[in-house]
Amino acid sequence: MGTGLNEREGELEAFTADEAAAGARLDQWLTGACAGTLSRNRIKHLIEQGRVRLNGETVAEPKRKLRAGDRVELALPEPEDPEPAPEAIPLSVLYEDADVIVIDKPAGLVVHPGPGNPSGTLVNALLAHCGDTLSGIGGVKRPGIVHRLDKETSGVMVVAKNDRAHQALSAQFADHGRTTGMRRAYLALVWGAPDRMTGTIETFLGRSSRDRMKQAVVGETQPDARYAVTHFKVLERYGDPTGASPVASLVECRLETGRTHQIRVHMAHVGHPLIGDQDYGKGFSTKANTLPSPLREAVSGFTRQALHAASLAFEHPASGELMTFQSPLPADMTELASGFRQAFGKT
């Protein structure tokens, strides 16, 4: 493969192929270089439409072979998605002022409109709640959004209500708390338990070669590879009375970086995928059959990844005050953890 995106020129995205890209197909390499934002079919159609230039010349052959040093330019068409409309969707507001609104997002709520979810999202709810005050920096489909949670992940989110707040919060999230008070902590119920009570998972994440809709631990040289660090702490282990390894555990995960599906991929990578995760823990789904009733039925019926954004700290974009918000473990995860405690005890 080759290097990732290295410069943006107006409506063009420009890439340069490295030595590893020599002989690769243009459509395949460019899909990886686009950091997982475009499918291979989409890339192929853009090439056929004449939206890709190779060393300054338009090329319409997706199978065109690359050479080291080739410069590839991709002209993306303007998005044609309709502007989201306000919808009266109830929100659990933890805090609100003229600059920010902090909400406790329930599982099942999509953050912003996209393919398959044109409405009924958090953005639609925010537009109804905040009116015209939302920041537009994130674009018409993501007004005020500076970070996101997966649809089935619950917990604390902050949204900017004006451009100044959007810029300040975006900078804090990009900094990942290195120079600011930004902190994010998640609670996860996972299969088994790490062999240490605390630890750090440090990898590169990128688009999976087996399923382009998923992320995976990848080599540093993959074009869309992004450095990812998760710190974990085991809070509870649900032991097996026979003395075998713990059946499950409650783990706190603190993000040093914020990559797509980071906690889900990292915990699966170390052999402890999230309970209910159909994307990264599907191979563990039959473990529910080994559990005693009624825990077996509870786990089988738990259809989302057991992940909750439990706390969020950030510096207020106007006052600079460090603000911390917490969300208790939601009822479904509380009941699941209780079921494991009753069945196996905790350590």
Side-chain angles (χ1 to χ4, degrees), residues 48-208:
E48 292 171 342
Q49 292 169 5
R51 289 188 171 273
V52 173
R53 293 188 302 184
L54 182 62
N55 299 321
E57 296 184 4
T58 299
V59 56
E61 301 173 19
K63 296 181 180 181
R64 181 74 171 267
K65 301 296 185 180
L66 291 173
R67 296 174 300 177
D70 279 346
R71 178 182 173 83
V72 180
E73 296 172 324
L74 171 62
L76 293 172
E78 290 294 325
E80 299 178 355
D81 295 321
E83 185 173 343
E87 295 181 40
I89 300 171
L91 289 174
S92 176
V93 179
L94 302 179
Y95 175 83
E96 183 176 11
D97 61 21
D99 297 293
V100 300
I101 178 171
V102 181
I103 62 105
D104 192 351
K105 188 187 88 67
L109 181 64
V110 176
V111 170
H112 54 75
N117 297 285
S119 62
T121 71
L122 175 61
V123 163
N124 298 106
L126 289 167
L127 289 171
H129 180 87
C130 301
D132 296 331
T133 64
L134 279 187
S135 164
I137 288 181
V140 295
K141 298 205 74 175
R142 304 184 185 187
I145 302 299
V146 293
H147 71 123
R148 61 181 293 273
L149 298 176
D150 292 339
K151 175 183 177 181
E152 298 301 342
T153 298
S154 53
V156 185
M157 282 188 63
V158 60
V159 176
K161 293 179 67 176
N162 55 59
D163 289 354
R164 178 187 64 181
H166 200 297
Q167 291 173 332
L169 289 172
S170 293
Q172 290 186 56
F173 276 97
D175 182 68
H176 300 299
R178 296 183 184 92
T179 61
T180 70
M182 168 72 68
R183 296 291 185 273
R184 287 178 287 172
Y186 293 72
L187 294 177
L189 282 165
V190 306
W191 288 112
D195 56 5
R196 294 169 293 162
M197 296 302 288
T198 62
T200 298
I201 305 170
E202 184 177 3
T203 71
F204 286 87
L205 299 183
R207 184 65 70 94
S208 169

